[in-house]
Amino acid sequence: MTHYTGLIERYRKRLPVSDSTRIISLNEGNTPLIQLQNIPRLIGKEVDIYVKFEGLNPTGSFKDRGMTMAVTKAVEAGSHAIICASTGNTSASAAAYAARAGIRAFVLIPEGKIALGKLAQTLMYDAKIIQISGNFDQGMQLVKEVADHAPVTIVNSINPFRIDGQKTAAFEIVDALGFAPDYHCLPVGNAGNITAYWKGYTEYARDRVCGNLPVMCGYQAAGAAPFVLGEMVDHPETVATAIRIGHPQSWDFAWTAQRESGGWFDKFTDEQILAAQKMLSQFEGIFCEPASATSLAGALHDIGSGKIPEGSKIVCTLTGNGIKDPEIAMMQCADAKPITIDASLDAVKRAILDSL
Ligand code: AN7
């Protein structure tokens, strides 16, 4: 390949595009799979943990994988506008790909409950932002209803092209490792992503690109854990606003992934999620957003309990970039306020010597 031009070009044969399709791309995908070096040593376990850092996509989240496909197909079908409900990342991604395509984007977001970076991005990409005094689930319901009455294409993960785009993350992992991991850990909100990874892995296994399949581990925030409770949650709450979702759209698909892979769902408190986010930053230099760290919180818990045995190869997807949510990051580091000193050599020298 000459230079990388996005996941549709790379996996063209496995995606529903033709030679005449105009590809709407921002060179998404091809994100790093980074092996953790310090955390396994800290916890004293013999495990290979890799993180798939999806925060390095063009708009800072895994949503770009699905959005390049969904917007490409919307434009191919003649659509001039897209719409989504979002906890923040889908809206940023939809807005960016609409800008790239030259079409309009409408996004419904829960007022006051989306991270600052996501709001700033979406404004910059010039989407029409509609805040509702309600949560994501109510927004999603409204989007489904309004799409029946207006010429707009829904680009939430109920759009099957989103799932097709996102399955390429599983392809990249197998292409990088030469095999599928033993365990794949993901944060779960609407469950589109766990659905997509399972589709990608099973497609590769069917075609003998890999000989094994991972166990799928879906982790939720304790206050927004419908898969763990086995029923919808009407008032989801969590500091990880990206996964503040109580009525997942890919309910049946996610249960299929769990059942077929022999996997499980579990839930973790905001404190556990934030601790995992800080740990990744502090000990590995990898800054993801709070929701993303739920995958590591879950993996560490299940490694600790032995549910994931030593010797395992584990991939945790880090779905979004830490820079998306500066307010939570500052809150996490409230005790580490920067010091202010005189602009003199003496004062700087003293500050350094004091903290060595
Ligand atoms: C960082 O943007 O639902 O289980 O509207 O932003 O596929 O829903 C975001 C979801 C995990 C959960 N991590 O993925 C939205 C939205 C981050 C996310 C998820 C989201 P799914």
Side-chain angles (χ1 to χ4, degrees):
M1 198 189 295
T2 45
H3 76 284
Y4 184 81
T5 53
L7 60 86
I8 295 181
E9 288 300 350
R10 180 169 180 191
Y11 294 109
R12 183 175 264 282
K13 289 197 302 278
R14 297 184 175 279
L15 293 168
V17 290
S18 74
D19 288 347
S20 61
T21 307
R22 176 188 160 209
I23 309 295
I24 311 298
S25 172
L26 289 164
N27 298 18
E28 56 295 309
N30 198 26
T31 55
L33 185 67
I34 308 166
Q35 183 164 12
L36 299 189
Q37 294 178 341
N38 301 316
I39 291 175
R41 214 174 46 229
L42 271 171
I43 62 173
K45 297 281 186 181
E46 283 294 328
V47 281
D48 286 340
I49 310 177
Y50 300 85
V51 295
K52 180 69 170 160
F53 193 16
E54 292 288 278
L56 294 183
N57 274 296
T59 79
S61 87
F62 73 99
K63 303 287 182 183
D64 295 343
R65 289 184 187 277
M67 209 55 74
T68 183
M69 271 307 307
V71 174
T72 289
K73 295 305 280 186
V75 168
E76 185 174 51
S79 180
H80 295 287
I82 57 175
I83 189 167
C84 64
S86 179
T87 56
N89 279 326
T90 301
S91 62
S93 187
Y97 283 82
R100 187 77 160 168
I103 62 173
R104 300 283 317 267
F106 297 91
V107 307
L108 265 75
I109 57 172
E111 185 187 14
K113 293 290 184 180
I114 91 165
L116 188 61
K118 302 174 189 179
L119 189 59
Q121 286 181 283
T122 309
L123 287 164
M124 284 299 286
Y125 298 134
D126 204 24
K128 175 76 184 169
I129 300 183
I130 303 163
Q131 298 200 64
I132 58 163
S133 35
N135 61 28
F136 166 86
D137 303 305
Q138 293 165 296
M140 189 67 242
Q141 188 53 40
L142 288 164
V143 162
K144 286 181 184 171
E145 287 168 26
V146 83
D148 288 337
H149 299 96
V152 288
T153 305
I154 298 180
V155 294
N156 282 101
S157 55
I158 56 171
N159 179 326
F161 299 124
R162 279 276 313 275
I163 304 297
D164 268 324
Q166 287 171 215
K167 76 181 177 185
T168 60
F171 297 163
E172 287 179 14
I173 290 165
V174 174
D175 291 344
L177 296 175
F179 47 81
D182 301 316
Y183 296 87
H184 192 117
C185 306
L186 283 159
V188 171
N190 272 304
N193 215 24
I194 196 168
T195 299
Y197 272 92
W198 187 239
K199 187 173 186 192
Y201 283 126
T202 51
E203 189 176 319
Y204 254 22
R206 181 199 67 201
D207 295 346
R208 302 266 180 267
V209 184
C210 56
N212 66 317
L213 285 167
V215 171
M216 301 299 292
C217 308
Y219 301 126
Q220 303 206 280
F227 285 104
V228 183
L229 301 176
E231 61 183 20
M232 300 296 173
V233 171
D234 284 337
H235 302 287
E237 276 308 339
T238 169
V239 71
T241 52
I243 51 172
R244 187 173 170 269
I245 294 166
H247 288 242
Q249 298 298 311
S250 293
W251 180 258
D252 292 339
F253 291 130
W255 282 111
T256 300
Q258 176 271 324
R259 204 179 48 247
E260 291 183 353
S261 74
W264 58 83
F265 295 106
D266 204 348
K267 60 181 162 65
F268 296 92
T269 62
D270 285 357
E271 289 69 26
Q272 289 172 299
I273 292 168
L274 292 176
Q277 186 202 21
K278 186 67 174 45
M279 202 176 176
L280 260 175
S281 302
Q282 184 176 1
F283 297 117
E284 300 284 358
I286 300 168
F287 184 24
C288 67
E289 68 171 282
S292 309
T294 311
S295 59
L296 183 71
L300 294 180
H301 176 270
D302 288 340
I303 292 164
S305 73
K307 197 169 183 182
I308 295 179
E310 293 207 54
S312 296
K313 297 186 188 314
I314 305 152
V315 172
C316 294
T317 298
L318 301 180
T319 44
N321 199 301
I323 302 171
K324 294 249 187 192
D325 201 337
E327 291 170 315
I328 296 296
M330 293 305 285
M331 184 205 79
Q332 286 252 55
C333 304
D335 297 335
K337 284 264 166 52
I339 54 164
T340 305
I341 55 166
D342 287 344
S344 73
L345 177 60
D346 244 19
V348 175
K349 209 166 74 185
R350 214 173 324 118
I352 291 170
L353 293 177
D354 278 355
S355 50
L356 277 179

